[in-house]
Structures are given as structure tokens and as C-alpha cells.
Amino acid sequence: MGQSGYGYDSGAGAGLGTDPGPVGHRQLSEAAEAQAWSKVPEVTVLFWTTKILTTGMGETTSDFLSKSPAVGGALGLIGFTGFLWLQFRAPRYSPWIYWGAIVMVSIFGTMAADIVHVVGIPYAVSTVVFVLALAGILTAWYRSEGTLSIHSIHTPRRERFYWATVLATFALGTAAGDLTATSFRLGYFSSGVLFAALIAVPALARLAGLNAVAAFWWAYVLTRPLGASFADWMGVSKDRGGLGWGTGPVSLVLAVLIAALVACLAAQHRRHRRPAVAAD
């Protein structure tokens, strides 16, 4: 499966073009085995496309559920804890479980960021708070594990750090998107265009020599306001600067698209696992 420009840092390619020798072959074998047992997907164009769609769905679904705050909050919490429980229980990466968890983290992360605003905290303040929270999680992760690479998520502790980081990125992205769209009065469409331009920065920085892991997490944070801004633009009413399609219908269409992409990812995953199973 081809890798994208963001985040590929398996370390298995050292010495490419030369005979790695017995020790090198053993290291490559260990790296391949670790990837086979990884709890997260490979980073491809399909990964980024699915991720952006989940951010949009999380935004509009959260807004749709907020029409009945108690019921919506309960459903969000149940889905969030349920899918994370399945993810942590799974022995290895499962596309349907993983992306189900991402969707629920998107919905719940949006709810969490919105609640912070509802209680009176400005978006500018919450954005800074979530930046600090994300920095704290990443710092603790690196000090504990010595790496932030998503290609090494094959221990329970690293998986906990990974999902804490993912939740923080969704909350941060929600606050940042609302900050530009409402506090800065750019509107949802203009905010989407802004973040579409900004997400190209880590790709260009990667070409200029930026660390792959740093480029990945930089882009990962930006996918949240990118997808959410365009989803809000499609879903909110025309008097709020949107197309007025409704948060419910937009959420449903995005859910169908996500399901189709995850089906493709699951099919790819089965094809790539089949040779390994046959070799066993």
C-alpha cells in the first residue's frame, strides 16, 4: 500500500539499496511483524480522505444531536466509550472498529469543545487551552515511549497515548474552526478555504526536511477544522452563511461516504494480510 507524504516513519528503510545482512534482515522482519500487529492503519491518500469526512460528520452530527442535549449527549458518550472499548479489546487493527472509534471521537470531541463554549469560555481561550493540552499529551507520550510515530502503536500504553492525542486534536480543531468562522467572522466556507491552504503547509515543509512525525500530527490537527468548516457550510441555514441542506441530511450523506471508504480500506487490508496468513 502506498504511503502519503505525511507521517511515514517506520524506520525499516535504513540502508535501502544495500544488503542488510543477517542482522538487517532480522530488524526488517521485526519491523514488519510490529506493523502487522499495529492497532492503526497505514497513512495513505484514502486514510486522509476518510479522516476529513469523519471530521465533517462529527461536526454536523453533533449539531444535529444537540437539538436534544440530554439524549444527544448520552448517545455520544455511549458511542464514544463503546467503540473505544472495542478498539482497545481488538488484538490488531480492524478497519471497521478503528474508523467507528474515529467517528465517535469526532462526535464526542465536538460536543466537548462546544460545551466549553456554551459555559461562556471564548473560542480564543478554549483554542489555547486545547493547544496546551495537546502539547502536554504529546510531551508525556514522547518522554514515556521515545517516539510519537503512529507506526509503533502495538502496546496498550502507546494506544492510550494515541487516542488521548486524537481526542485532543478533535477538540482543538473544533475550537479553531469555530474561532475563524465566528469570532474572526470569516464564515464557514472561507474558513474551509483557509484550512485547505494551511493543510498544504506541512506537506511542503515535509519536502523541505520537516520530521515526518511532526508533519503528520500538524496535518492531522488541521483536518478537523477543514472538514468541519465545509460540513457546517453545507448544513447550516442560509442566514448563517450556509447552503441550508440541514445537519441531518449532511450527516447521513457523509456517513454513507465514510462507510464506502471504510469498505475499501477493509478490502485492501484483507488483501494485504492474505499473503502473510498463507505464509504461516
Side-chain angles (χ1 to χ4, degrees), residues 148-203:
L148 299 177
S149 173
I150 69 163
H151 301 284
S152 62
I153 310 300
H154 45 73
T155 68
R157 183 165 58 186
R158 289 185 182 186
E159 189 175 15
R160 288 193 292 270
F161 275 122
Y162 174 80
W163 285 102
T165 303
V166 169
L167 181 58
T169 64
F170 273 101
L172 169 59
T174 299
D178 288 334
L179 176 67
T180 59
T182 59
S183 299
F184 293 168
R185 299 183 179 180
L186 291 181
Y188 296 112
F189 180 78
S190 296
S191 290
V193 172
L194 170 65
F195 288 111
L198 288 176
I199 204 169
V201 175

Side-chain angles (χ1 to χ4, degrees), residues 1-112:
M1 189 181 297
Q3 302 297 334
S4 77
Y6 295 127
Y8 183 64
D9 187 29
S10 68
L16 187 63
T18 63
D19 183 0
V23 174
H25 281 304
R26 184 167 61 252
Q27 290 174 340
L28 289 173
S29 177
E30 290 172 354
E33 182 179 358
Q35 181 60 38
W37 287 91
S38 178
K39 298 294 292 292
V40 300
E42 293 183 76
V43 181
T44 66
V45 172
L46 200 54
F47 169 91
W48 289 113
T49 304
T50 309
K51 172 63 170 61
I52 291 171
L53 290 180
T54 64
T55 66
M57 181 188 171
E59 177 71 22
T60 54
T61 302
S62 175
D63 289 344
F64 179 76
L65 293 176
S66 67
K67 296 175 182 178
S68 300
V71 175
L75 290 175
L77 180 60
I78 292 171
F80 170 71
T81 55
F83 267 98
L84 278 187
W85 181 83
L86 290 173
Q87 172 66 24
F88 284 119
R89 293 273 296 177
R92 60 176 66 85
Y93 167 65
S94 168
W96 290 105
I97 294 176
Y98 174 85
W99 287 107
I102 287 290
V103 167
M104 294 313 305
V105 169
S106 177
I107 295 172
F108 188 75
T110 301
M111 289 179 172

